[in-house]
Amino acid sequence: MMIDVWSCGVILYALLTSSLPFDDRNIEALSEVNSDWEPRPFDFLVDDELIRMSLEDFLLAKGISAEKILEIEYIKAVAPRKQEPPCLHDDWVSAISGANSSLIMTGSYDGFSRMWKTGGLCTHILEGHTGAITSVCMVNPKGLESSSSLCVATASKDRTLRLWKFDSEVPIGHPAKVRAYKTLKGHKSSVQSIAAHPSGAMVCSGSWDSTINLWRTNESDADGDLTSIKKRKVDNDTRESQSEGEALSSFVGHTQCVSSVVWKQEEAIYSASWDHSIRRWDVGTGKDSFNLFCGKALNCLDVGGESSALIAAGGSDSVLRIWDPRNPGSLAPVFQFSSHSSWISACKWHDQSWFHLVSASYDGKVMLWDLRTAWPVAVIDSHKDKVMCVDWWKGDSVISGGADAKLCISSEVSIS
Amino acid sequence: MVNIMDTNEEERVKVCMSYSCMEEVTLDVEAETNQRVEESDSSEDEVAPRNTVGDVPLKWYKDEEHIGYDITGKKIKKQARKDMLDSFLAGVDNSKNWRKIYDEYNDEEVELTKQETRLIRRLLKGKTPHAEVDPYTPYVDWFLWEDAKHPLSNAPEPKRRFIPSKWENKKVVELVRAIRRGDIKIDKPKEESRLYLLWGDDSRSADKAPGINYIPAPKPKLAGHEESYNPSVEYIPTKEEVDSYNQMYEEDRPKFIPRRFESLRNVPAYENAMKESFNRCLDLYLCPRSRKKRINIDPESLKPKLPSRKDLKPYPSKCYFEYKGHKNAVRSISVEPSGQWLASGSNDGTVRIWEIETGRCIRIWEVGEGVQCVAWNPMTGLTILAVAVGLDVLLLDTGLGDDEEQYKIKKLLHVEATTVANDSDHNGSLVDWLQHDKYKGIRMRFRKTITSVEWHRKGDYFSTVMPGDSRGILIHLLSKKLTQKFSFKQHGIPVATKFHPSRSYVFIATNKAVRVYDLLKQKLIRKLEPSVREVSSIAVHPSGDHVIVGSREGKLCWFDMDLSSQPYRKLECHPKDITNVAFHRSYPLFASCSEDSTSYVFHGMVYSDLNQNPLIVPLQILRGHAATNGRGVLDCTFHPRQPWLFTAGSDSVVKLYCH
């Protein structure tokens, strides 16, 4: 009871002055005062808006009378509280996926894809690509977890996609080397992005040749085309057994490089392109049912937020934009976040939260955003060079890879 | 009639003279003959006395027996009067009676000669008495008006000019009298008020002064308390203040520093008195104090009406990317036609290929010397890079295509030894096509330094420029490994070549002019005259009808090929040399970069309507490059599909400006 009254006083103090009554530059000195003291920052909400300044400034800025009774909601501040040691790569880390809760998958410019466990332990190295890996995805992150077998897909600048299957059991000693079970060829130029069907039966890929291709993931399927089998037979002499797949269908419509594809719902693929447009493709018919022109070359795209309908995209400027395609007639972005200072290379919505997303930029910063405020709720500044990819992991960590060849994990982000 | 009869021949001659002096001589002759006739007549009449009464009415002698007196004073008797019957009979007998006239004055009958009757007839008709006289002869001016040494009349000035006019005097007297009488009233002069503002502002006395344009000279400042010989202490500056006055510029320094004196007697003469009064005089008479009529024009209204920059988006405006890695100034950049890769050549002897979207350097070639020019083959899928290095042009295989394309490229970039031999036999000293030993590719050996390589749009032909040679432009055919001279005479030092984007034309820029040749018909089509000191670069609009030319003194000329050979617009934007100019392939944008380490982006809209001139709007100055070794931005090129601009600087950085 005593503690509650004290903390109430602290909250009021923090609200009024936007600083804590017991602040100190040295955290050790602070914790020495109270042995079981643990800092727990809060954020305050007024009318569904986060307060990022002192309450007085907020009232002035919003024009709210000081005599009005405010309902202030407080939540735990969304900010990483712990930086895990970085996992070092040989080259730039260009792709990352945190869909699996035990393993982090990264793709690198040296052509290898790696699986990492917490503590900076590399468990698997996926070898085979001859060019830099541009995108990775987990084909069935949840479905096959019980059988401890993992299926992943990678896209590369060598114009191919590769599918890999391996046991997620951690080998002892040096990391296990894995070879692809299927190579998907068909793109005329480097593949920029890959996304898997929610059930894991298919993957789609966007390429520099401005097409989006659909591929089957199953291994040497019964109704697979004969050509692939023939090819395999020819290749048998020189290479190890590996099946080749051809594209199931191809969506043509973009006029420039397709830089990002997202496949969250069964029937719809979202794609972003350098031709300044975002399109939604109907998987059944192969037609684009929705076309959003945004005026900038786009690098990244994600769909999420409220009922998985908001589109977040960033591109060749420093603004992260969010559109709501449910608004009829209006193509103006509903949110614009412009705290970055360079191109935005990646953005991801949080799986559970409607409000939170993370973005990475070539200015070396990773920013956490809350839709309820225009300022970033947290800035992660652990990279020394361009950040090229970012993802959420296990719902409470932000993982990012960059041109400094590091995989950074910022954990203990409390999102309720 | 009688008078006419009386006038003798001389008088007649005078009349004639008044009509015409031309016929004077002939008339004189005539007059002489007449006189002789007269004389003969008079000799007959010698006995008959002449009347000498003079011009008196003849009625005075009406009742007298004589009609007058002759010379000797004797009376002249009246002749016996014939009665009517006698005279009638005489008339009937004499056929010449009609010619006879009675002269009352002399009291005699006169018979008119034939000549006289003719004369009378002419007079009655209103003609000139003599038929020979032409009254309408053209007027001949005998006086030489020009170059006359003396005035027309050399008469002295008349006296009246020197004496006061009597009539004026009279008029004045009349007016004076009228004023005295009170008939004329004159306004009384205004009475000046005896009071005036002693300390008033005299400069406001313009209303008093005559004329609106008069501005009185400003009065000198009146002496204040500080100029007293014994001012209060607060006026006296401290020593620090006096010292600080000496630190000031002479113009800012106060003219007078107050000092204190015990008595007026101790005040020395003011040393500046002469100088100040002299300056005051100078001010008064040298400064023109008059109202100037000035036209009030808003300078904004003189500017041409241009659309707002906001409406012309997108255009490159902000630098988001830097491609770092070169050790020395980057001389040349080129973007792959699909827009995925960027090639750059530097003075440090390397050629690099960058991935545009991430800024990663994926390939480095060490070529030894400073790279002059890099150029991608414009065919998609044919990823060949042409590099001009010193005396060589290297055709490098970048290895960015897929297997099929790589196979094609490998075949293209293969030189057989035999063809080399043939070629060298053929065009002796032009070019040697060799296989590059170190890198996969072709090495073309030239005799002089190559500064520029330009591909034809189909990616098979390319041209090279050797500024040191009088026939420095060569055209090469990659598929057959052939080289040919450019068949036209070159005027001046060649700077750059460009191929027309759709026709078989080639633009040759020399340091003075740009010439357009048709390669199929083998003839000169146009000559564009930028009239700048030295052309440094040229770019052709994707439509092919417009050309921009950059010059060494920082001028940018836009030519409309349909309009004239003179520039349609001349833009003077850079204070230093323009190093390169570029058009965007699809957006209406063009850019120039300069040694002053800036690049300019312009909107250059070309309309398909021939009546509408191209619209040129300056959009953005792109800064960011640091000047190194006195050089700025060395090359600029647009992204083929995005409205982005790449600039290469002497600070060894390539920058990407995005919209």
Side-chain angles (χ1 to χ4, degrees):
Chain A
M1 189 61 194
M2 278 289 283
I3 299 251
D4 282 352
V5 169
W6 183 78
S7 55
C8 238
V10 169
I11 286 166
L12 281 173
Y13 186 92
L15 264 175
L16 285 171
T17 63
S18 81
S19 68
L20 289 173
F22 41 81
D23 206 4
D24 198 320
R25 280 186 186 278
N26 193 350
I27 300 223
E28 277 84 44
L30 264 176
S31 52
E32 269 172 27
V33 176
N34 190 348
S35 56
D36 54 274
W37 181 83
E38 193 189 342
R40 178 155 288 279
F42 284 100
D43 269 328
F44 303 98
L45 280 164
V46 174
D47 294 339
D48 283 343
E49 193 156 350
L50 279 175
I51 306 174
R52 308 297 297 169
M53 49 188 106
S54 79
L55 191 61
E56 189 186 0
D57 293 339
F58 181 82
L59 292 183
L60 282 174
K62 290 282 155 191
I64 302 171
S65 161
E67 293 184 3
K68 198 185 162 196
I69 296 170
L70 285 179
E71 271 187 37
I72 299 178
E73 204 180 326
Y74 69 94
I75 52 171
K76 282 181 196 165
V78 175
R81 288 189 288 151
K82 199 173 157 196
Q83 285 290 339
E84 311 255 338
C87 310
L88 297 177
H89 290 67
D90 296 339
D91 211 334
W92 293 13
V93 182
S94 54
I96 201 159
S97 171
N100 188 292
S101 58
S102 61
L103 290 171
I104 302 168
M105 182 180 186
T106 62
S108 169
Y109 260 74
D110 54 8
F112 298 128
S113 182
R114 293 176 177 85
M115 307 301 293
W116 299 85
K117 224 175 161 52
T118 39
L121 186 70
C122 180
T123 58
H124 299 84
I125 295 180
L126 316 183
E127 295 177 338
H129 277 299
T130 55
I133 288 173
T134 53
S135 181
V136 295
C137 79
M138 307 245 182
V139 176
N140 48 356
K142 290 163 189 95
L144 291 172
E145 251 173 83
S146 52
S147 65
S148 77
S149 162
L150 205 57
C151 182
V152 297
T154 56
S156 162
K157 285 195 191 290
D158 62 6
R159 301 179 181 77
T160 61
L161 295 97
R162 279 167 207 251
L163 297 168
W164 321 73
K165 203 173 269 181
F166 53 89
D167 201 353
S168 64
E169 292 280 309
V170 182
I172 298 130
H174 54 81
K177 300 208 165 155
V178 184
R179 301 208 61 96
Y181 73 87
K182 195 167 181 181
T183 307
L184 308 174
K185 286 187 180 173
H187 278 300
K188 291 189 189 62
S189 191
S190 64
V191 189
Q192 294 292 108
S193 174
I194 189 167
H197 188 261
S199 75
M202 280 195 284
V203 289
C204 68
S205 63
S207 159
W208 193 277
D209 60 13
S210 64
T211 58
I212 298 166
N213 282 5
L214 290 187
W215 318 79
R216 265 187 219 288
T217 57
N218 46 354
E219 199 173 352
S220 56
D221 36 2
D223 56 346
D225 35 8
L226 289 166
T227 52
S228 72
I229 295 165
K230 270 182 192 166
K231 263 186 193 163
R232 188 181 64 184
K233 278 177 183 166
V234 173
D235 290 345
N236 262 344
D237 306 333
T238 53
R239 284 192 283 169
E240 63 184 282
S241 163
Q242 196 180 71
S243 73
E244 286 193 5
E246 286 191 351
L248 202 64
S249 68
S250 187
F251 300 161
V252 181
H254 280 298
T255 55
Q256 287 188 49
C257 156
V258 181
S259 54
S260 186
V261 287
V262 175
W263 200 348
K264 285 263 170 94
Q265 290 136 6
E266 293 234 348
E267 71 284 357
I269 295 175
Y270 288 87
S271 68
S273 163
W274 274 36
D275 64 4
H276 307 176
S277 70
I278 296 171
R279 291 175 199 229
R280 182 173 62 204
W281 303 85
D282 195 45
V283 178
T285 60
K287 295 264 158 52
D288 55 331
S289 54
F290 169 75
N291 192 343
L292 187 92
F293 182 79
C294 74
K296 305 275 174 185
L298 295 164
N299 283 331
C300 58
L301 173 80
D302 200 17
V303 179
E306 193 181 347
S307 67
S308 289
L310 298 182
I311 302 172
S316 64
D317 66 348
S318 54
V319 184
L320 176 69
R321 295 181 176 81
I322 293 166
W323 288 270
D324 192 349
R326 295 168 300 180
N327 291 6
S330 139
L331 290 178
V334 286
F335 296 103
Q336 297 202 40
F337 298 124
S338 50
S339 291
H340 280 298
S341 61
S342 188
W343 283 18
I344 291 171
S345 53
C347 61
K348 279 276 185 226
W349 286 94
H350 193 267
D351 276 344
Q352 274 85 43
S353 168
W354 282 7
F355 303 113
H356 293 96
L357 70 160
V358 64
S359 71
S361 164
Y362 284 156
D363 61 1
K365 292 192 175 84
V366 175
M367 290 190 185
L368 285 168
W369 301 93
D370 191 313
L371 291 191
R372 294 167 291 190
T373 182
W375 288 275
V377 290
V379 178
I380 302 166
D381 209 354
S382 54
H383 284 284
K384 299 280 178 295
D385 206 342
K386 296 171 193 137
V387 188
M388 308 192 69
C389 51
V390 73
D391 202 359
W392 296 94
W393 187 45
K394 297 194 288 192
D396 69 338
S397 298
V398 173
I399 48 177
S400 60
D404 54 356
K406 280 197 284 194
L407 159 67
C408 289
I409 305 166
S410 311
S411 58
E412 297 188 28
V413 184
S414 48
I415 293 176
S416 47
Chain B
M1 190 67 71
V2 174
N3 283 343
I4 289 165
M5 295 283 295
D6 271 357
T7 48
N8 55 18
E9 288 300 314
E10 278 161 24
E11 276 173 341
R12 254 190 275 156
V13 170
K14 268 183 197 164
V15 172
C16 293
M17 271 184 75
S18 77
Y19 279 109
S20 163
C21 299
M22 275 279 279
E23 285 166 291
E24 193 178 12
V25 182
T26 54
L27 283 176
D28 273 346
V29 173
E30 198 180 11
E32 268 171 40
T33 53
N34 281 354
Q35 211 150 23
R36 247 177 272 138
V37 172
E38 198 91 340
E39 269 171 11
S40 64
D41 281 355
S42 65
S43 64
E44 276 174 27
D45 301 342
E46 212 163 285
V47 278
R50 290 283 172 192
N51 196 356
T52 56
V53 286
D55 191 13
V56 294
L58 289 178
K59 63 180 180 186
W60 290 357
Y61 295 91
K62 198 176 154 191
D63 302 328
E64 305 292 327
E65 285 190 344
H66 59 279
I67 56 157
Y69 309 91
D70 63 359
I71 307 166
T72 54
K74 288 175 184 169
K75 286 178 181 174
I76 302 170
K77 291 278 171 62
K78 279 185 186 171
Q79 287 182 354
R81 189 64 62 92
K82 287 178 188 171
D83 55 344
M84 293 293 278
L85 190 64
D86 284 344
S87 62
F88 173 73
L89 286 173
V92 170
D93 290 345
N94 197 346
S95 62
K96 290 181 181 173
N97 192 39
W98 63 277
R99 288 179 191 254
K100 286 183 180 163
I101 303 168
Y102 173 68
D103 182 2
E104 223 172 345
Y105 188 74
N106 287 325
D107 192 27
E108 60 182 3
E109 275 196 338
V110 181
E111 193 182 307
L112 295 175
T113 60
K114 260 188 186 173
Q115 238 174 351
E116 282 164 345
T117 49
R118 217 181 295 147
L119 215 117
I120 289 163
R121 254 187 223 127
R122 285 185 67 85
L123 281 171
L124 285 175
K125 279 182 188 166
K127 290 180 182 171
T128 48
H130 287 271
E132 298 85 7
V133 176
D134 179 10
Y136 306 113
T137 48
Y139 175 71
V140 177
D141 198 353
W142 293 95
F143 184 75
L144 298 170
W145 296 92
E146 285 150 22
D147 304 329
K149 277 180 187 165
H150 302 288
L152 260 187
S153 160
N154 213 8
E157 283 279 283
K159 191 182 173 185
R160 62 175 181 276
R161 302 266 164 87
F162 303 100
I163 54 174
S165 163
K166 194 172 77 184
W167 300 105
E168 277 177 15
N169 199 15
K170 279 186 176 174
K171 192 76 193 165
V172 168
V173 168
E174 207 173 279
L175 286 170
V176 167
R177 281 189 185 139
I179 290 167
R180 278 193 193 145
R181 276 201 307 273
D183 293 350
I184 299 173
K185 278 180 185 165
I186 297 169
D187 290 345
K188 276 187 184 170
K190 265 188 193 167
E191 210 166 285
E192 294 231 348
S193 64
R194 290 187 298 112
L195 307 170
Y196 62 95
L197 278 172
L198 183 61
W199 304 112
D201 190 4
D202 286 303
S203 61
R204 296 282 303 145
S205 58
D207 43 348
K208 269 189 266 170
I212 239 170
N213 285 331
Y214 175 75
I215 301 169
K219 293 236 162 175
K221 204 181 138 232
L222 291 170
H225 292 296
E226 75 275 12
E227 279 165 63
S228 157
Y229 76 95
N230 191 9
S232 314
V233 194
E234 62 259 31
Y235 289 112
I236 309 294
T238 59
K239 194 159 186 313
E240 292 86 51
E241 280 176 330
V242 173
D243 289 343
S244 73
Y245 292 161
N246 291 330
Q247 300 281 322
M248 287 176 173
Y249 286 110
E250 192 158 350
E251 289 165 5
D252 303 334
R253 207 175 290 161
K255 294 279 177 311
F256 176 78
I257 299 168
R259 281 166 67 194
R260 294 195 81 160
F261 296 100
E262 286 293 307
S263 62
L264 201 53
R265 213 176 37 228
N266 294 343
V267 179
Y270 181 47
E271 67 266 28
N272 285 339
M274 268 314 250
K275 200 178 163 192
E276 276 182 11
S277 53
F278 175 69
N279 280 335
R280 168 77 184 157
C281 290
L282 280 186
D283 281 354
L284 286 182
Y285 95 94
L286 285 180
C287 172
R289 263 176 294 278
S290 61
R291 281 179 220 283
K292 268 190 181 167
K293 279 190 180 168
R294 194 174 283 168
I295 309 169
N296 235 344
I297 296 178
D298 181 17
E300 290 294 315
S301 69
L302 295 177
K303 279 195 199 164
K305 294 252 183 307
L306 290 177
S308 152
R309 291 198 305 168
K310 276 182 194 163
D311 306 336
L312 302 177
K313 280 182 176 178
Y315 57 85
S317 55
K318 199 178 166 197
C319 176
Y320 282 113
F321 246 104
E322 288 184 351
Y323 301 88
K324 286 181 183 168
H326 278 296
K327 304 279 190 300
N328 207 332
V330 185
R331 287 291 292 271
S332 176
I333 47 176
S334 175
V335 187
E336 197 243 348
S338 74
Q340 198 176 1
W341 315 105
L342 171 75
S344 65
S346 161
N347 272 354
D348 62 2
T350 57
V351 175
R352 285 169 188 252
I353 292 187
W354 309 84
E355 191 176 52
I356 286 170
E357 57 169 336
T358 56
R360 187 185 162 94
C361 178
I362 59 157
R363 187 97 198 241
I364 304 175
W365 284 285
E366 298 271 352
V367 292
E369 279 178 85
V371 179
Q372 292 281 348
C373 182
V374 291
W376 282 95
N377 191 313
M379 288 296 277
T380 42
L382 210 61
T383 50
I384 296 174
L385 188 67
V387 183
V389 188
L391 301 179
D392 296 346
V393 168
L394 308 178
L395 299 174
L396 299 172
D397 175 13
T398 56
L400 296 170
D402 57 23
D403 299 343
E404 209 173 304
E405 287 161 4
Q406 278 315 122
Y407 179 69
K408 219 164 91 185
I409 291 166
K410 208 171 244 177
K411 245 172 64 180
L412 262 179
L413 294 182
H414 179 68
V415 187
E416 287 172 37
T418 50
T419 58
V420 171
N422 280 346
D423 264 1
S424 53
D425 286 345
H426 218 58
N427 36 31
S429 62
L430 273 180
V431 180
D432 298 335
W433 294 71
L434 308 165
Q435 195 76 42
H436 199 287
D437 331 318
K438 201 163 145 200
Y439 307 117
K440 295 178 282 177
I442 293 176
R443 176 180 168 190
M444 296 164 68
R445 189 85 192 164
F446 288 81
R447 303 290 165 239
K448 295 241 170 72
T449 315
I450 300 289
T451 56
S452 153
V453 180
E454 169 77 15
W455 287 92
H456 186 250
R457 64 178 187 281
K458 284 180 183 158
D460 200 4
Y461 288 95
F462 62 101
S463 67
T464 55
V465 175
M466 279 189 282
D469 203 325
S470 62
R471 293 199 148 239
I473 295 170
L474 299 175
I475 294 181
H476 315 274
L477 180 58
L478 174 62
S479 56
K480 291 184 179 159
K481 317 288 183 292
L482 275 176
T483 296
Q484 66 181 56
K485 281 180 197 163
F486 191 66
S487 50
F488 300 101
K489 187 177 180 287
Q490 251 110 76
H491 312 261
I493 305 161
V495 174
T497 58
K498 289 274 179 235
F499 288 100
H500 192 282
S502 51
R503 289 181 178 170
S504 63
Y505 295 171
V506 64
F507 297 79
I508 308 271
T510 59
N511 56 352
K512 288 283 168 219
V514 178
R515 288 179 175 78
V516 189
Y517 297 96
D518 191 334
L519 290 174
L520 280 186
K521 292 180 186 162
Q522 293 281 316
K523 65 174 188 185
L524 176 71
I525 291 187
R526 281 211 92 126
K527 187 186 170 198
L528 306 176
E529 283 158 356
S531 58
V532 292
R533 214 168 59 227
E534 205 179 336
V535 172
S536 65
S537 49
I538 176 175
V540 182
H541 191 266
S543 73
D545 292 337
H546 300 267
V547 178
I548 48 175
V549 170
S551 78
R552 285 248 182 269
E553 72 251 44
K555 281 182 190 162
L556 183 70
C557 304
W558 174 294
F559 288 95
D560 192 334
M561 297 274 287
D562 300 330
L563 219 58
S564 81
S565 61
Q566 296 296 319
Y568 159 65
R569 199 70 23 116
K570 237 179 187 181
L571 306 166
E572 278 182 56
C573 41
H574 291 286
K576 286 190 184 171
D577 300 7
I578 289 179
T579 47
N580 200 13
V581 288
F583 268 113
H584 198 282
R585 220 167 68 177
S586 47
Y587 288 90
L589 293 172
F590 66 100
S592 66
C593 62
S594 154
E595 300 278 17
D596 60 2
S597 56
T598 60
S599 321
Y600 280 60
V601 179
F602 302 89
H603 175 85
M605 189 64 175
V606 171
Y607 301 97
S608 51
D609 180 10
L610 283 176
N611 291 326
Q612 209 164 358
N613 283 328
L615 173 72
I616 298 172
V617 185
L619 289 175
Q620 186 85 27
I621 304 175
L622 304 176
R623 300 173 205 277
H625 280 291
T628 314
N629 300 331
R631 307 207 66 187
V633 186
L634 300 182
D635 198 3
C636 66
T637 182
F638 278 103
H639 191 277
R641 291 176 173 185
Q642 304 284 350
W644 299 347
L645 184 74
F646 295 92
T647 56
S650 57
D651 51 355
S652 67
V653 178
V654 179
K655 280 177 188 266
L656 166 60
Y657 293 89
C658 301
H659 61 294

